[in-house]
Amino acid sequence: MTPFAYDRAPSLAAAVASRARHRSDGVWDAGADFFAGGTDLVQLMRESLRNPDRVVDITALPGLDQIEDRGSSVRLGALVRMSDAASHTLVRDHYPVVTEALLASASAQVRNLATLGGNLLQRTRCGYFRDPGSPCNKREPGSGCPAIQGQNRFHAIFGGSEHCIATYAGDLANALAALDATVTIAGPQGERAILVTELHRPPGATPAVETQLAPGELITAIDVPADRRGWRSHYLKIRDRASFEWSIASAAVALDLDGGVVRDVRIAVGGVATTPWRLPQVEAALRGRRLTPELARGATALAAEGAVPHGRNLYKVELIRRTVARALEEIGGLA
Ligand code: SF4
């Protein structure tokens, strides 16, 4: 690990001021990194994949470790630990998709340490990205993407580019995407809120730029709309082993049923795309119709529309259809 300086930010303003160094193309420079749970950052630093010259500890920032009912939303502070959010009554009782996504993530030990904000920003698990000896456009812009012709069993069938096909690794963001949740971001220009679905950027020609966060910005809170409380919701994660594993496909479904008719629905999938990925074509096929096994089968057959497989990940085309179908059947009482 490369030696680094350690600062503990006493306030949000100090934290923002401490980390405004990006290269002119928007790529994070080696400068300072924020530290909260550290579960991903420390791993990246140990493997010399991130070499910040300063780590700014934000765990003492006041007010960011609370979960509160704000009337129009439930607000989850960015420093809330994953395990605390999963078991909180406001989350567990009203947004089961969030609790299920959190409990399907990592291990109990990691969930006790990792924060919600950090979890949203976790880096990809692409093996080439995690291998300092491999070229990788995300880690070293312009060095190439060996995954496109190489070991791509775990890679994306949605949202990729000729420069990168790495999947977004998280679960929580998919659940939040299905609830139309927003993230509040603090930065040098003040505060702003964006949808969770807008937070992550598809790789395009600049895979190293992974989110919409501008220099110095950090996530302070997540707001889940209160009007989703009456909806059924469910997270289904498919993975190679039952615990402590990233998904090869996952589906977050939020369903507003009115006497068996789909009044509204949101579906977001993970493990198959470069960002949390909504399926508007499946939602449109379901909306306003009576939920039956036939409707579920017909609608979820559209789940792989637009998929671009790359050889070893061809299996994900059928897998994502079946994952979405099963999640919908389970939540709709059809299973
Ligand atoms: Fe790097 Fe993306 Fe290619 Fe993986 S898929 S090697 S992260 S550029």
Side-chain angles (χ1 to χ4, degrees):
M1 189 184 284
T2 307
F4 60 92
Y6 170 86
D7 287 336
R8 196 167 167 84
S11 67
L12 191 54
V16 166
S18 72
R19 187 172 181 209
R21 280 201 282 170
H22 277 56
R23 297 198 320 224
S24 57
D25 59 3
V27 175
W28 291 120
D29 204 347
D33 269 338
F34 288 135
F35 173 91
T39 51
D40 198 17
L41 177 62
V42 171
Q43 201 179 112
L44 292 166
M45 290 171 68
R46 276 197 186 128
E47 292 162 5
S48 295
L49 300 170
R50 284 287 311 162
N51 298 299
D53 52 36
R54 198 153 42 96
V55 167
V56 180
D57 185 336
I58 58 171
T59 53
L61 298 186
L64 302 191
D65 59 351
Q66 304 295 313
I67 296 178
E68 54 178 326
D69 188 342
R70 292 166 63 96
S72 62
S73 71
V74 168
R75 171 159 284 201
L76 312 170
L79 293 179
V80 172
R81 307 285 171 180
M82 291 172 72
S83 52
D84 291 335
S87 61
H88 197 285
T89 182
L90 283 173
V91 177
R92 197 187 55 212
D93 295 351
H94 301 300
Y95 310 110
V97 66
V98 173
T99 289
E100 291 169 5
L102 287 167
L103 294 181
S105 303
S107 65
Q109 291 89 342
V110 171
R111 293 193 295 270
N112 285 340
L113 198 56
T115 63
L116 300 183
N119 183 262
L120 291 180
L121 299 177
Q122 68 179 292
R123 311 293 300 277
T124 183
R125 304 307 303 184
C126 172
Y128 298 106
F129 173 81
R130 297 269 164 179
D131 174 6
S134 286
C136 169
N137 284 331
K138 189 180 279 297
R139 186 166 29 76
E140 283 294 329
S143 62
C145 175
I148 288 174
Q149 299 295 332
Q151 294 298 332
N152 52 36
R153 177 174 177 266
F154 297 105
H155 287 69
I157 57 173
F158 297 118
S161 72
E162 62 183 301
H163 303 284
C164 180
I165 54 170
T167 49
Y168 171 69
D171 295 296
L172 172 64
N174 307 322
L176 295 172
L179 295 168
D180 293 322
T182 58
V183 287
T184 298
I185 294 166
Q189 311 302 322
E191 206 173 74
R192 64 191 177 109
I194 60 172
L195 286 166
V196 167
T197 46
E198 296 169 347
L199 175 63
H200 300 92
R201 291 171 48 132
T206 54
V209 186
E210 297 177 338
T211 72
Q212 299 292 352
L213 294 181
E217 288 189 323
L218 75 164
I219 296 173
T220 56
I222 299 159
D223 280 278
V224 189
D227 62 8
R228 295 295 188 275
R229 288 184 180 191
W231 292 33
R232 303 181 188 192
S233 65
H234 179 43
Y235 193 71
L236 177 63
K237 178 172 178 175
I238 308 298
R239 43 190 162 171
D240 281 349
R241 59 181 182 189
S243 174
F244 207 4
E245 185 63 283
W246 288 270
S247 72
I248 50 175
S250 66
V253 180
L255 185 63
D256 185 18
L257 271 185
D258 179 16
V261 173
V262 180
R263 188 156 44 196
D264 209 350
V265 60
R266 300 281 186 281
I267 301 172
V269 293
V272 290
T274 54
T275 63
W277 196 260
R278 283 274 300 277
L279 297 180
Q281 73 279 20
V282 181
E283 296 169 6
L286 292 166
R287 205 170 281 125
R289 303 181 67 186
R290 180 163 295 279
L291 185 60
T292 62
E294 294 71 33
L295 176 67
R297 257 197 309 278
T300 56
L302 304 172
E305 214 174 69
V308 181
H310 295 274
R312 288 180 170 84
N313 65 0
L314 177 62
Y315 74 100
K316 290 191 177 186
V317 171
E318 183 58 23
L319 182 61
I320 196 59
R321 289 193 193 109
R322 294 187 186 207
T323 304
V324 175
R326 202 172 110 200
L328 184 62
E329 287 166 4
E330 287 175 359
I331 194 178
L334 304 174

